[in-house]
């Protein structure tokens, strides 16, 4: 990878440039794969770009890697580049944009749509899209917005969503030797129990992790028996698992020349977000996508590579120029998020590793920053300290805080906060126990963002099965039985066993198979027959609603259905899950598309609509978010970096994870530790995280137990103020 360009000797900031005229010129209908640099009008751009961003946006040569640190306008730059190329070189329908989460895809889609001003639009990855039936070219579904030049809008989605969409489109044109049904977590658990009946739940989970790692590794050659046996079982059930989706798409692209040619003809530009997080299987897919002459633009930050445990490999980031000959590298280093003090501290943590290749971040906005270090006696005292500081910031919230005199010192002048401004981050979920207890006592509103995906929330898999059956899809026998036992009153374990015996020769169940149960009077008692009859009525209602209602309205009707009370009895928090699903459905309004995205999503939207809460989440869940105030608790050796028994985490990745946590803070960052902690079943004395010693003492402000604050070498000089219009650069 080439080194970043040096800054000028006077340290002057880059000039602001405005290429809006370029974005509004007419674009040719076919991509020109080797084009000269386009002239740029620097006077009329409504959304400004700094000089480094502009260079990345107007790059017209071969492939491009953009190294973009936190807060440097990553999404801002990527969407402007897509819009620029749409105006100058190609049409949106020739563009494919790949992300890792549905949330990121939605944000990219919205920003690009705003830049294109509705002229060409954006096509979200939709698993039901159709081909044209003539030569196999993949085109949009009927009713989707076209660009007016014979193509579709840009296709935006996650790796898995796009792969499933492409395979579903092609399956309407050619035979695919496997089903495109995606296994639910319950399906995978049932199959694991069938495959490894003598192993316990922990052992089976490790087996599934082993299978997932192999499939993500992109390895060829002999397949391990564990992987091949489990995959055979999946296929007999007519299922793909999460990792199969990319693997099978890649195999199909290699084996089916017409499919490969169709994809190459459709996509002339490929854009990849968070490139540092790709795994070998995703790298193989990208290589095939550009074989036909497409150009790839990748953007990311190697300092934020934190998913090695999922198979991500940062080597691909550093080998980009070798993997894609003719590639150039551009660097974004102006940070529009954090105070200079916090940027200095986080940069020092990364420099201490000796392997950072990204340029240091430079604060583009003056923000009064503060880095506070605090040691407490125990994890409970740590939680009380966090609550006390939050109470000071928001001016007190509880009778307890007022009666105890904790609020006598009050908030710092001019620094009052709202609850939504604050996040508390921790390395492992078990740390939130003491925090939740302290928040409950204080009365501070809070929201715990777990690492559990929505599909694993109580009752969601049953809701998904109901919607799939109502949509006319097939489901596995296990999913159907789970749904029946959760929604039909009077259906006991013995009856479920008899139904399973009735269906034993089937691997997939439809609504017709459920209806056939009514023809077996000896199988169902009167109460359970009434339940099945009510279920069938609700499924038929869902089917009729599909033609006229959005996914959100269908879910609202489900809450008023006859089977909902039974599901709530089984899962007391089913209402909460349904509300989360309804929020999801307001983003993706088409039910079939929503269901596929739900099954393919391993993410949990940690930053929901309830903004006036303090946000509690793991360091991993905080990736991509920002807050004026951030507390990182548990800054202790053994937690940061995480080490437990024989399981030792990658120290370099743990350092990057700590860096990600630090760079979530805009103005104030608290690094808190406990002198002793209950962890992994035992109370242990702790030592400070070794990463804390990488930060210069002059940047730290120690908060003493007696209430005094000390900064060892005084405060740093204030950073030079920058123009306020730079705020629009933040992305």
């Amino acid at each position: 990878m080439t080194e970043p360009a040096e800054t000028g000797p006077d340290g002057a900031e880059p000039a602001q440039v405005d290429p809006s005229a370029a974005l509004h010129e007419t674009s040719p209908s076919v991509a020109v794969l080797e084009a000269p640099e386009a002239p740029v009008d620097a006077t009329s751009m409504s959304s400004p770009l700094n000089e480094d961003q502009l260079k990345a946006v107007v790059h017209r040569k071969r492939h491009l890697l953009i190294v973009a640190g936190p807060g440097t306008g990553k999404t801002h730059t990527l969407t402007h580049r897509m819009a620029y190329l749409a105006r100058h070189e190609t049409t949106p329908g020739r563009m494919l944009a790949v992300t890792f989460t549905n949330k990121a895809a939605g944000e990219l889609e919205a920003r690009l749509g705003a830049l294109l001003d509705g002229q060409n639009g954006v096509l979200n990855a939709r698993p039901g899209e159709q081909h044209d039936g003539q030569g196999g070219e993949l085109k949009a579904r009927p009713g989707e917005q076209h660009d007016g030049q014979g193509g579709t809008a840009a296709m935006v989605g996650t790796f898995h969503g796009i792969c499933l969409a492409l395979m579903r489109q092609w399956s309407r044109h050619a035979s695919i030797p496997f089903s495109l049904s995606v296994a639910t977590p319950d399906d995978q658990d049932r199959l694991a129990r069938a495959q490894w009946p003598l192993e316990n739940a922990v052992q089976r989970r490790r087996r599934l992790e082993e299978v997932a790692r192999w499939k993500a590794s992109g390895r060829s050659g002999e397949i391990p028996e564990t992987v091949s046996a489990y995959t055979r079982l999946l296929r007999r059930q007519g299922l793909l698992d999460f990792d199969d989706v990319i693997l099978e798409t890649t195999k199909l692209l290699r084996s089916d020349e017409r499919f490969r040619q169709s994809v190459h003809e459709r996509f002339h530009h490929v854009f990849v977000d968070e490139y540092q997080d790709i795994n070998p299987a995703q790298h193989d897919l990208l290589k095939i996508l550009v074989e036909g002459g497409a150009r790839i633009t990748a953007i990311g930050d190697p300092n934020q590579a934190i998913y090695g445990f999922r198979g991500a490999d940062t080597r691909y980031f550093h080998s980009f120029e070798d993997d894609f000959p003719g590639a150039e590298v551009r660097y974004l280093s102006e940070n529009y998020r954090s105070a200079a003090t916090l940027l200095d501290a986080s940069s020092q943590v990364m420099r201490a590793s000796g392997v950072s290749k990204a340029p240091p971040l430079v604060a583009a906005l003056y923000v009064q920053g503060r880095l506070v270090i605090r040691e407490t006696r125990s994890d409970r005292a740590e939680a009380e300290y966090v609550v006390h500081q939050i109470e000071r910031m928001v001016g007190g919230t509880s009778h307890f805080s007022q009666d105890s005199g904790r609020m006598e010192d009050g908030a710092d002048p001019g620094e009052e906060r709202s609850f939504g401004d604050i996040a508390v981050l921790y390395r492992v979920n078990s740390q939130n126990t003491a925090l939740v207890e302290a928040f409950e006592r204080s009365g501070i509103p809070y929201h715990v963002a777990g690492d559990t995906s929505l599909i694993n929330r109580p009752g969601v898999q049953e809701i998904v099965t109901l919607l799939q059956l109502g949509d006319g899809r097939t489901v596995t026998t296990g999913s159907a039985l789970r749904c029946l036992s959760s929604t039909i009153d009077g259906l006991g374990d013995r009856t479920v066993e008899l139904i399973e015996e009735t269906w034993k020769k089937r691997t997939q169940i439809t609504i017709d198979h459920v209806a056939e149960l009514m023809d077996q009077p000896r199988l169902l008692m009167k109460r359970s027959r009434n339940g099945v009859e009510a279920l069938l009525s609700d499924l038929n209602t869902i089917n009729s609603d599909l033609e006229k209602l959005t996914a959100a309205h269908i879910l609202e009707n489900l809450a008023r259905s006859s089977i909902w009370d039974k599901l709530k009895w089984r899962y007391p928090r089913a209402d909460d899950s349904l509300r989360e699903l309804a929020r999801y459905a307001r983003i993706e309004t088409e039910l079939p598309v929503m269901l596929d995205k739900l099954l393919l999503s391993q993410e949990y939207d940690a930053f929901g609509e309830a903004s006036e809460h303090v946000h509690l989440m793991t360091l991993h869940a905080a990736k991509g978010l920002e807050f004026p105030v951030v507390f990182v608790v548990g800054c202790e050796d053994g937690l940061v970096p995480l080490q437990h028994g024989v399981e030792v985490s990658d120290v370099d990745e743990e350092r990057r994870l700590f860096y990600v946590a630090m760079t979530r803070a805009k103005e104030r960052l608290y690094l808190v530790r406990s002198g002793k902690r209950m962890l992994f079943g035992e109370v242990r004395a702790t030592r400070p995280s070794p990463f804390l010693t990488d930060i210069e003492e002059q940047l730290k402000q120690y908060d003493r137990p007696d209430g005094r604050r000390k900064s060892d070498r005084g405060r740093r000089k204030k950073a030079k103020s920058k123009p306020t219009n730079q705020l629009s650069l933040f992305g």
Side-chain angles (χ1 to χ4, degrees):
M1 184 181 298
T2 55
E3 294 300 316
E6 294 183 2
T7 57
D10 58 356
E13 61 185 273
Q16 295 305 301
V17 205
D18 189 344
S20 65
L23 292 180
H24 291 283
E25 293 180 12
T26 304
S27 61
S29 60
V30 180
V32 180
L33 297 186
E34 291 291 349
E37 294 288 343
V40 178
D41 182 346
T43 62
S44 58
M45 183 67 181
S46 60
S47 183
L49 299 164
N50 67 35
E51 184 175 344
D52 291 333
Q53 290 171 337
L54 178 67
K55 288 178 180 178
V57 166
V58 302
H59 177 83
R60 294 284 293 277
K61 298 178 183 177
R62 288 288 290 166
H63 312 295
L64 177 65
L65 176 65
I66 305 171
V67 183
T72 58
K74 175 172 64 71
T75 306
H76 180 79
T77 303
L78 187 61
T79 50
H80 274 74
R81 174 162 173 74
M82 293 179 69
Y84 175 80
L85 292 173
R87 302 292 186 185
H88 281 275
E89 187 173 304
T90 186
T91 65
R94 300 298 184 187
M95 293 181 175
L96 173 66
V98 189
T99 69
F100 279 86
T101 67
N102 289 318
K103 181 180 178 182
E107 181 180 0
L108 193 153
E109 178 185 5
R111 292 198 191 191
L112 181 58
L115 285 173
L116 294 177
D117 198 26
Q119 293 184 17
N120 294 340
V122 185
L123 176 64
N124 200 262
R126 301 188 183 281
E129 288 172 354
Q130 296 176 339
H131 57 82
D132 63 358
Q134 300 176 9
E137 182 179 354
L138 305 177
K139 292 195 174 182
R141 303 170 62 190
E144 290 291 352
Q145 186 178 16
H146 287 244
D147 66 3
Q149 302 183 36
T152 67
M155 190 176 190
V156 180
T158 65
F159 272 98
H160 295 83
I162 284 171
C163 284
L164 187 61
L166 292 176
M167 286 197 293
R168 283 236 166 106
Q169 291 168 35
W170 191 249
S171 70
R172 297 172 183 267
H173 179 74
S175 175
I176 290 180
F178 47 83
S179 167
L180 294 175
S181 297
V182 180
T184 67
D186 184 64
D187 291 332
Q188 294 182 62
D189 182 62
R190 286 175 179 270
L191 293 179
R193 277 187 275 133
Q195 182 64 38
W196 303 293
L198 301 180
E199 298 187 359
N200 60 36
V202 173
Q203 291 170 324
R204 291 194 300 270
R205 186 176 68 248
R206 287 175 178 167
R207 291 275 196 180
L208 291 176
E209 290 171 353
E210 178 185 346
V211 171
R213 280 195 300 271
W214 191 91
K215 290 181 178 180
S217 71
R219 285 178 246 171
S220 57
E222 186 176 353
I223 303 174
E225 178 57 26
T226 297
V227 178
S228 60
Y230 178 70
T231 302
R232 285 195 300 270
L233 190 57
L234 276 169
R235 297 298 182 272
R236 284 201 296 270
Q237 297 291 318
L239 294 172
L240 297 173
D241 67 12
F242 181 78
D243 297 284
D244 280 331
V245 174
I246 292 178
L247 197 62
E248 294 297 342
T249 303
T250 302
K251 289 162 97 175
L252 191 62
L253 283 168
R254 284 183 175 140
S255 63
D256 191 325
E257 183 178 354
R258 293 177 61 217
F259 178 48
R260 183 172 64 253
Q261 182 179 355
S262 176
V263 172
H264 286 164
E265 288 176 355
R266 177 175 178 179
F267 300 121
H268 292 184
H269 287 270
V270 178
F271 303 85
V272 188
D273 191 18
E274 304 287 6
Y275 192 74
Q276 76 280 350
D277 290 332
I278 67 168
N279 63 35
Q282 291 159 346
H283 179 260
D284 287 349
L285 174 68
L286 293 172
K287 292 279 286 184
I288 294 175
L289 289 175
V290 302
E291 279 179 358
R295 288 153 54 187
I296 184 171
T297 296
I299 193 166
D301 179 11
N303 288 345
Q304 297 187 74
I306 59 174
Y307 292 109
F309 66 95
R310 289 184 182 173
D313 193 336
T314 56
R315 289 180 300 175
Y316 298 122
F317 197 96
H318 301 298
S319 66
F320 186 87
E321 292 166 283
D322 295 327
D323 293 335
F324 303 100
E328 293 188 13
V329 182
R330 300 285 184 183
Y331 295 85
L332 306 182
S333 58
E334 287 192 72
N335 177 282
Y336 301 97
R337 174 187 298 165
S338 302
T341 299
L342 305 185
L343 289 182
D344 287 347
S346 60
S347 295
Q348 288 167 9
V349 169
M350 284 310 303
R351 282 200 300 271
S353 70
V355 297
S356 177
K357 297 290 182 69
L361 299 177
V362 178
L365 294 172
Y366 174 70
V367 180
Q368 181 65 44
R370 180 181 295 172
L371 173 60
V372 179
I373 309 292
R374 174 64 182 245
E375 178 182 349
T376 63
R377 296 185 308 276
S378 66
D379 49 358
R380 292 182 179 276
E382 177 185 64
E384 287 296 333
Y385 171 77
V386 170
V387 165
H388 178 35
Q389 295 305 307
I390 293 172
E391 287 174 333
R392 292 179 68 247
M393 292 176 203
V394 299
T397 61
S398 66
H399 294 299
F400 175 72
S401 63
Q402 296 165 8
D403 294 342
S404 65
R406 296 201 317 190
M407 292 307 303
E408 290 179 1
D409 49 356
D412 293 339
E415 293 193 358
E416 290 81 4
R417 306 288 182 184
S418 68
F419 295 120
D421 289 337
I422 303 167
V424 184
L425 313 182
Y426 39 83
R427 181 61 183 88
V428 295
N429 279 311
S430 60
Q431 289 177 257
N432 71 26
T433 302
L435 289 166
V436 167
E437 291 175 356
F439 275 89
E440 288 286 349
R441 286 193 297 270
S442 72
I444 293 176
Y446 67 94
H447 172 69
V448 179
D451 289 333
T452 302
S453 59
L454 185 53
I455 189 65
N456 284 309
R457 295 286 296 273
V460 171
Q461 291 188 59
E462 283 84 351
I463 295 172
V464 167
T465 300
L466 290 169
L467 297 176
Q468 287 176 318
L469 289 171
D471 188 32
R473 298 195 191 191
T474 61
V475 300
T476 62
T477 302
S479 292
L481 291 170
R482 173 172 171 156
C483 183
L484 292 177
S485 63
S486 299
T487 58
I488 295 177
D489 197 22
L491 202 66
D493 292 342
R494 177 56 184 159
T495 305
V496 171
E497 290 176 2
L498 292 174
I499 295 174
E500 185 174 13
E501 179 68 21
T502 302
W503 288 344
K504 67 179 180 179
K505 293 184 179 181
R506 303 187 186 278
T507 57
Q508 297 286 307
I509 301 300
T510 68
I511 188 174
D512 292 334
H513 298 135
V514 177
E516 288 171 1
L517 297 177
M518 299 292 291
D519 299 330
Q520 302 183 48
R522 295 184 178 181
L523 185 63
L524 301 174
M525 302 292 289
K526 181 178 180 180
R527 189 167 56 157
S528 55
R529 284 179 61 82
N530 291 339
V532 172
E533 187 175 15
L535 173 63
L536 290 168
S537 175
D538 290 333
L539 293 177
N540 287 324
T541 298
I542 291 172
N543 186 264
S544 62
D545 286 347
L546 283 168
E547 298 295 326
K548 53 191 176 183
L549 297 179
T550 65
H553 285 104
I554 292 172
L555 288 170
E556 288 177 13
N557 289 343
L558 181 63
R560 294 190 289 268
S561 68
S562 59
I563 59 176
W564 185 247
D565 285 340
K566 172 65 174 175
L567 194 62
K568 285 199 301 182
W569 181 85
R570 176 72 177 266
Y571 299 106
R573 298 188 62 184
D575 279 335
D576 294 337
S577 298
L578 188 63
R579 277 192 289 271
E580 289 291 324
L581 275 173
R583 184 168 68 86
Y584 198 88
R586 286 194 290 272
I587 299 170
E588 184 48 75
T589 58
E590 295 186 42
L591 183 64
V593 180
M594 186 198 83
L595 291 175
D596 278 326
K597 286 190 173 183
L598 196 60
L599 289 169
L600 290 173
S601 177
Q602 291 192 335
E603 68 196 77
Y604 180 82
D605 183 1
F607 195 60
E609 291 179 332
S611 60
E612 278 312 301
H613 293 70
V614 176
H615 304 278
L616 277 60
M617 66 188 76
T618 64
L619 305 188
H620 283 96
K623 178 86 158 41
L625 304 178
E626 61 179 46
F627 304 91
V629 180
V630 171
F631 292 83
V632 182
V633 298
C635 295
E636 303 144 18
D637 196 11
L639 272 176
V640 183
L642 183 64
Q643 296 180 337
H644 174 55
V646 297
E647 297 183 9
V648 180
S649 300
D650 182 325
V651 174
D652 287 336
E653 183 162 311
E654 291 289 306
R655 181 183 294 277
R656 295 192 294 267
L657 182 59
F658 188 56
Y659 172 78
V660 166
M662 294 180 71
T663 53
R664 301 311 93 196
K666 298 168 72 173
E667 300 170 24
R668 191 181 293 194
L669 174 63
Y670 290 81
L671 302 179
V672 190
R673 62 169 290 249
S674 168
K676 62 179 180 178
R677 181 179 301 277
M678 168 66 78
L679 191 65
F680 306 126
E682 60 179 341
V683 177
R684 60 179 70 181
T686 70
R687 296 175 297 175
S689 167
F691 300 152
L692 296 180
T693 63
D694 298 327
I695 304 171
E696 292 178 0
E697 288 299 316
Q698 65 185 19
L699 299 179
K700 301 173 184 175
Q701 180 178 339
Y702 289 89
D703 194 354
R704 308 297 187 188
D706 58 9
R708 291 184 295 110
R709 290 175 177 172
K710 176 185 177 183
S711 182
D712 281 13
R713 300 184 188 175
R715 308 295 287 273
R716 293 170 62 88
K717 292 182 180 180
K718 292 184 178 180
K720 183 178 179 180
S721 176
K722 296 222 174 182
T724 55
N725 66 0
Q726 291 286 320
L727 280 169
S728 59
L729 291 167
F730 176 69

